[in-house]
Amino acid sequence: MANPELDRIIEDLRARDRARNGPRRAAKLSNLTGALAPELNEMLDRMQTPRARAGIEAAFRATPDELADAAVAAARRRRG
């Protein structure tokens, strides 16, 4: 799924690079961003699932103590 905002940002970066560094380097950036755009769009779509969105909303509503408890719990899970 394409993301118009991401596409606009990438195009803006290309234009700025073209103005600053000339067309040769801009072509390299264009190739790189063109190759990454589908992957970035897919990552953005995954990050915006209902579950992920609910998690972010909960993090913003959490108190400092709740955030600390969650960080400790995550660290313990990683250690095993």
Side-chain angles (χ1 to χ4, degrees), residues 6-7 9 11 20 22 27 30-32 34 36-39 43-44 46 49-50 56 58 60-62 64 68-70:
L6 180 61
D7 293 341
I9 291 169
E11 188 53 41
R20 183 178 297 137
S30 181
N31 291 339
L32 175 64
L36 291 177
E39 193 173 322
M43 182 175 63
L44 183 63
R46 283 194 315 267
T49 65
I56 292 297
F60 279 108
R61 286 192 310 264
D69 291 344

Side-chain angles (χ1 to χ4, degrees), residues 55-75 77:
I56 292 297
E57 288 174 14
F60 279 108
R61 286 192 310 264
T63 66
D65 287 339
E66 290 170 332
L67 290 174
D69 291 344
V72 169
R77 282 193 301 272

Side-chain angles (χ1 to χ4, degrees), residues 1-3 15-16 21 23 27 29 36-38 41-42 45 47-49 51 59 61-63 65 68-70:
M1 178 181 215
N3 183 308
R16 287 176 189 223
N21 300 302
L29 178 64
L36 291 177
N41 280 326
E42 182 181 316
D45 287 342
M47 291 169 34
Q48 293 181 338
T49 65
R51 182 176 177 203
R61 286 192 310 264
T63 66
D65 287 339
D69 291 344

